[in-house]
Each structure stands twice: as C-alpha cells, then as structure tokens.
C-alpha cells in the first residue's frame, strides 16, 4: 500500500479505528511536527489486539499484570504501524491525539497541540521491520505534502521532546534509514 493520499484528515489505505482519547486542537491549522513513538503490549510482545484496545479505552486489566498499571490511562496516537507495515488510524490528523504528554519542541510546550503522533509496534531495543520503515516513509512524505509545516527538521522522537521521561522510539530506530527513504 502506498499511503499517498489523505481524505478529510484520514490516511487513505489505513484501517480506521476511532479512539475516544482525542480532542480539538487549539488551532486546527497548526500541524507542524511529526513525533515517532513505539509501543508493544504486553511489553516486548507483538501482533496482539491490546494496542487497539488500549487506545480505545477497552484494555482489560485482568488479561496481563502490566495492564492493571495502564488500563485507566487515556492515550492515543494518530497512527499505529504494525510489524507487517499495515496501518491503523485512531484519530483524524485535524484533531489532537493524546500521545506526547508533557513535552517541548523548539521551545514550544505541549506538542500534542501541533503534532501528529505515529506509533511503531516495537520496543526501544528490538529492530524495526523494513515494512515499518517503508510505510513510515510513505506516510511521512504524504504528511509533508498535506501539512507543509512538517519538514525534515520537524520529525522527531518522543525521547527528544520528553527527555528523561520517555525513551522511544529508542536506540533500535534507524533515523538515517528513515531520512534516506524520505
């Protein structure tokens, strides 16, 4: 899938799975940052239904001990890129997804207000797949076209906007590879 079009702030080709964990941006025209994250639920395990359940507020705390710690959190991202490169969209790009938390980029606080958050199914230390890089690169190019304030120097990791608090996408993420693909 090429992921080369956006229709009404939804990525064409992504599966839609609306999260209730979003709200209106302070300025819907201010979309100027792309933040890369990682997630796996349970930690270090891939391909289950739990990330979708978490972003939709339906994670069952009885299914895994770790889930009891996080089930009450209200978290989302705009997109999730699975290990096979498939993409799920949880929040339209025009809305504020709750992915960055306390954060700062280029002197500006509250990155959720002006960013798009993309989660990669993975961990800080486990290599990401070629399919994920291909999907991420195609999506990044499309986002840069539709939201021109997102430029190459406005693509960052969660670890960079929340240092000391967050570590993702981690040492396993190959920034050079992504930049070469876009």
């Amino acid at each position: 899938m090429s992921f080369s079009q956006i229709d009404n702030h939804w990525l064409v080709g992504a599966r839609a799975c609306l999260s209730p964990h979003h709200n209106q941006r302070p300025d819907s025209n201010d979309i100027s940052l792309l933040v890369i994250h990682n997630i796996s639920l349970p930690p270090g395990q891939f391909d289950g239904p739990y990330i979708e359940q978490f972003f939709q507020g339906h994670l069952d705390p009885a299914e895994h001990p770790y889930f009891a710690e996080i089930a009450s959190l209200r978290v989302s991202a705009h997109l999730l890129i699975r290990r096979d490169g498939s993409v799920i969209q949880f929040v339209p790009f025009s809305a504020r997804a709750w992915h960055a938390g306390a954060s700062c980029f280029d002197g500006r606080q509250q990155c959720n207000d002006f960013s798009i958050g993309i989660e990669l199914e993975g961990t800080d230390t486990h290599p990401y797949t070629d399919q994920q890089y291909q999907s991420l690169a195609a999506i990044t190019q499309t986002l840069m076209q539709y939201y021109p304030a997102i430029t190459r120097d406005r693509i960052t990791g969660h670890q960079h906007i929340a240092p000391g608090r967050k570590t993702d996408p981690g040492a396993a993420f190959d920034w050079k590879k992504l930049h070469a693909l876009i």
Side-chain angles (χ1 to χ4, degrees):
M1 181 114 346
S2 69
F3 304 115
S4 62
Q5 294 181 330
I6 293 173
D7 183 19
N8 198 28
H9 302 284
W10 288 87
L11 182 67
V12 174
R15 182 167 61 87
C17 185
L18 187 63
S19 170
H21 304 153
H22 72 278
N23 58 2
Q24 188 174 356
R25 293 180 186 274
D27 178 353
S28 61
N29 294 315
D30 182 12
I31 300 173
S32 60
L33 182 67
L34 177 59
V35 180
I36 311 298
H37 304 262
N38 75 39
I39 189 169
S40 59
L41 291 176
Q45 295 182 27
F46 307 132
D47 300 323
Y50 303 115
I51 298 169
E52 286 180 57
Q53 292 172 6
F54 182 48
F55 287 168
Q56 291 185 303
H58 299 301
L59 191 61
D60 182 353
E63 289 206 34
H64 189 278
Y66 179 68
F67 297 170
E69 297 175 34
I70 65 166
S72 65
L73 298 177
R74 296 171 41 152
V75 177
S76 64
H78 291 91
L79 301 175
L80 168 68
I81 302 177
R82 293 277 193 181
R83 304 292 293 172
D84 65 1
S86 62
V87 179
I88 303 168
Q89 185 162 358
F90 294 94
V91 176
F93 300 126
S94 57
R96 176 173 45 197
W98 302 340
H99 61 95
S103 53
C104 181
F105 182 83
D106 199 24
R108 192 166 170 203
Q109 303 289 319
Q110 303 302 325
C111 294
N112 285 343
D113 291 351
F114 57 96
S115 68
I116 290 174
I118 298 180
E119 295 274 1
L120 298 173
E121 185 175 31
T123 69
D124 291 2
T125 57
H126 193 275
Y128 298 93
T129 67
D130 287 338
Q131 296 95 326
Q132 286 178 299
Y133 283 107
Q134 293 296 324
S135 291
L136 179 58
I139 291 165
T140 299
Q141 290 171 330
T142 300
L143 290 171
M144 291 169 72
Q145 178 184 1
Y146 279 79
Y147 308 103
I150 297 175
T151 59
R152 290 176 71 91
D153 62 337
R154 295 188 63 83
I155 301 167
T156 192
H158 200 189
Q159 67 198 49
H160 304 121
I161 63 169
R165 189 175 70 82
K166 293 296 179 177
T167 60
D168 58 309
F173 188 75
D174 189 341
W175 288 99
K176 289 181 183 177
K177 182 173 187 170
L178 175 62
H179 286 289
L181 289 170
I182 58 171

